[in-house]
Amino acid sequence: DVGVDAEPIQVGSIETLLDDSRRLDEVAGSSDVDVTIHVYDDMPHVWQMSYPAFPEAVEAVEELAAFVRLHTT
């Protein structure tokens, strides 16, 4: 038991941590964690900080907000 019920993973396709994110997805999934990974095309590390300037950042923040609502209500 890893102590986590669900885990969202957002990673850019040009992100330094892309391979690590994919590995986390595999390990968490094999540990019965409800994990979702979303790879955003051509996004660098922490592109979400560009909210609201980049449409991809808006999408990512909205995706995380929906995840929080789903898992906290």
Side-chain angles (χ1 to χ4, degrees):
D1 182 22
V2 294
V4 176
D5 294 330
E7 178 71 29
I9 301 170
Q10 295 179 331
V11 63
S13 65
I14 60 172
E15 160 75 62
T16 303
L17 300 174
L18 177 58
D19 291 339
D20 294 329
S21 297
R22 288 184 170 145
R23 179 73 180 128
L24 175 60
D25 179 47
E26 291 173 14
V27 170
S30 67
S31 298
D32 294 326
V33 174
D34 178 15
V35 62
T36 57
I37 185 168
H38 187 165
V39 180
Y40 286 80
D41 289 336
D42 298 319
M43 290 294 107
H45 187 63
V46 297
W47 80 94
Q48 300 95 327
M49 296 294 292
S50 297
Y51 178 93
F54 292 173
E56 297 89 350
V58 172
E59 180 183 351
V61 170
E62 289 175 353
E63 180 180 76
L64 287 175
F67 174 85
V68 170
R69 281 191 299 273
L70 178 67
H71 293 281
T72 59
T73 55

